[in-house]
Amino acid sequence: MAAPQTPPEKMMFQLALRRRGISDRAVLRAMEEVPREAFVEKGDAAHAYRDSALGIECGQTISQPFVVAYMTEQLGLQKHHRVLEIGTGSGYQAAILSKLCREVVSIERYRTLADGARKRLKTLGYDNVEVILGDGFEPPENLGTFDRIIVTAAMEKIPETLLERLEPDGVLIAPVGPHHGIQTLIRVSRTETGFDRKELVDVRFVPALPGIAREL
Ligand code: SAH
């Protein structure tokens, strides 16, 4: 039997990621395997493989594929890692992460988004992702510590409450900067003596806001 053909838009999608510098094969494979069309609004399915952010419920966005791939690559994931994501949104980034590590815990402040993403991830079979309604600035103590932390909403500064949750040799990536402007992706690595901080690229994310959203 002939292998199922990759649709042209998915081939272009892979090509665009490679051209922009994504080279980690496991990351490229995860980007190929996760169906982005299942995470965007119904009316946007035709645009799912364009390299752009798209609107989702609650006035939030599903990130641009290149940024998802880039942040994932920069995390340097290993199969045994436990990963914390702040800002579940559609659940797309969580699905990508789940293919590359042992367990993903993702926190979202909108109930509508958390419930939607949880259901979507379960239907698609991403069984190692737990979606929690909560405030990513204050992750529940009982979640413990993480090998990797990825923040997918803009923070004015990286809170101590998150750095404290990194395992030794842990890595955190977050967009840091003004809420409505250009932010810089920052990669923080936990070392024996403290934290190393590196600036990566400029990005634009929706703001990280404190507390669980009062709106649904
Ligand atoms: N990673 C998502 C996109 C995230 S958009 C995806 O793949 O689709 C940023 C998300 O962060 C929004 O859904 C927003 O509601 C959420 N968010 C903002 N501040 C937060 C906080 N303090 N805790 C948890 N989630 C937060």
Side-chain angles (χ1 to χ4, degrees):
M1 224 175 30
Q5 277 205 329
T6 310
E9 74 268 19
K10 277 199 113 167
M11 280 171 63
M12 291 308 290
F13 183 69
Q14 284 285 311
L15 215 62
L17 293 173
R18 283 166 189 264
R19 210 175 276 146
R20 291 201 60 180
I22 306 298
S23 61
D24 185 311
R25 298 172 75 104
V27 173
L28 286 166
R29 198 174 319 118
M31 296 294 295
E32 184 168 8
E33 287 172 359
V34 175
R36 191 167 184 259
E37 69 274 15
F39 293 84
V40 302
E41 298 279 274
K42 276 209 177 71
D44 277 333
H47 311 312
Y49 294 97
R50 282 195 194 159
D51 194 22
S52 60
L54 293 167
I56 56 172
E57 284 180 289
C58 308
Q60 306 303 310
T61 54
I62 172 172
S63 311
Q64 178 192 350
F66 168 71
V67 174
V68 171
Y70 181 78
M71 289 175 86
T72 307
E73 186 168 74
Q74 290 294 323
L75 280 175
L77 291 172
Q78 295 180 26
K79 270 288 169 203
H80 65 273
H81 281 163
R82 250 187 112 224
V83 181
L84 173 67
E85 180 191 26
I86 311 296
T88 314
S90 67
Y92 179 68
Q93 172 77 72
I96 298 287
L97 297 169
S98 79
K99 294 239 165 217
L100 301 165
C101 69
R102 179 164 60 88
E103 188 190 347
V104 180
V105 178
S106 185
I107 305 181
E108 169 57 53
R109 66 188 290 275
Y110 279 98
R111 185 181 294 279
T112 302
L113 293 174
D115 289 351
R118 192 181 298 116
K119 205 166 134 200
R120 192 175 292 126
L121 290 161
K122 185 165 193 283
T123 307
L124 294 168
Y126 299 104
D127 295 330
N128 57 342
V129 185
E130 185 184 2
V131 177
I132 294 176
L133 175 68
D135 177 4
F137 284 104
E138 306 275 351
E141 281 301 324
N142 64 1
L143 296 178
T145 53
F146 294 87
D147 302 294
R148 299 289 185 262
I149 299 177
I150 175 171
V151 181
T152 63
M155 295 187 157
E156 280 161 328
K157 63 190 266 294
I158 299 171
E160 281 296 320
T161 49
L162 286 184
L163 292 175
E164 281 165 7
R165 308 305 282 276
L166 274 181
E167 284 279 332
D169 292 326
V171 173
L172 173 148
I173 293 188
V176 179
H179 273 174
H180 298 285
I182 293 179
Q183 306 108 22
T184 303
L185 270 187
I186 306 284
R187 183 182 197 270
V188 181
S189 314
R190 182 161 213 163
T191 66
E192 271 176 24
T193 48
F195 294 96
D196 269 354
R197 192 185 151 103
K198 189 175 172 212
E199 295 193 359
L200 302 173
V201 293
D202 286 347
V203 284
R204 253 172 199 276
F205 276 86
V206 293
L209 301 171
I212 292 175
R214 258 177 287 158
E215 321 84 300
L216 281 180

